[in-house]
């Protein structure tokens, strides 16, 4: 990550996240990104500059066009950093799912309260 722009700063903006999602499909020229995202060309170029400074995208010249593509290395580093948190959430969400479903966990506990039928009225 060069020029002091962090990955987090670059991805904090919703327009830049949308551009990253668009580039996930395939490399695109600035004009294609402008058209797909509905932003002005100067605004799109500023967002692409931040993404480039953060190391998220690479640019190549193709005649008169600048074509942008994702650089997978920072995304892979982010994925590796998120892995322990993903495991934490998956474990928590699995437990919640078992609780809601009443399914037993490895020790046989469902975590769900025992449901009893209502008492029958006595005559």
């Amino acid at each position: 990550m060069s020029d002091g722009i962090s990955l987090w700063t670059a991805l904090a903006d919703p327009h830049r996240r949308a551009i990253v999602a668009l580039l996930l499909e395939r490399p695109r020229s600035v004009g294609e990104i402008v058209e797909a995202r509905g932003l002005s060309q100067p605004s799109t170029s500023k967002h692409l500059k931040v993404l480039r400074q953060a190391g998220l995208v690479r640019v190549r010249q193709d005649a008169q066009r600048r074509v942008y593509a994702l650089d997978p290395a920072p995304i892979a580093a982010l994925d590796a950093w998120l892995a322990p948190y993903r495991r934490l959430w998956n474990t928590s969400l699995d437990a919640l799912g078992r609780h809601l479903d009443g399914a037993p966990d490895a020790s046989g506990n469902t975590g769900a309260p025992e449901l009893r039928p209502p008492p029958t009225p006595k005559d």
Side-chain angles (χ1 to χ4, degrees):
M1 291 177 218
S2 59
D3 297 336
I5 303 290
S6 77
L7 191 64
W8 300 110
T9 300
L11 293 174
D13 184 275
H15 294 295
R16 290 193 287 268
R17 288 193 307 271
I19 291 170
V20 167
L22 192 62
L23 293 175
L24 185 61
E25 297 171 2
R26 62 178 173 83
R28 295 177 188 263
S29 70
V30 176
E32 289 176 292
I33 297 168
V34 166
E35 186 177 320
R37 298 306 319 147
L39 299 171
S40 69
Q41 192 278 328
S43 177
T44 300
S45 291
K46 287 179 185 178
H47 287 304
L48 288 166
K49 179 181 179 182
V50 171
L51 292 171
R52 190 176 67 246
Q53 289 173 334
L56 283 164
V57 298
R58 295 180 295 224
V59 62
R60 69 175 167 80
Q61 197 74 29
D62 181 24
Q64 299 292 70
R65 304 179 324 149
R66 295 175 69 91
V67 178
Y68 285 83
L70 280 182
D71 185 343
I75 303 293
L78 177 61
D79 183 58
W81 186 85
L82 288 170
Y85 299 96
R86 196 175 300 113
R87 282 192 301 273
L88 170 73
W89 276 105
N90 285 342
T91 301
S92 298
L93 291 173
D94 288 347
L96 176 61
R98 281 191 308 274
H99 174 77
L100 294 174
D101 293 340
D105 62 12
S107 63
N109 296 323
T110 64
E114 183 180 334
L115 297 177
R116 296 185 182 125
T120 55
K122 297 189 179 194
D123 293 332

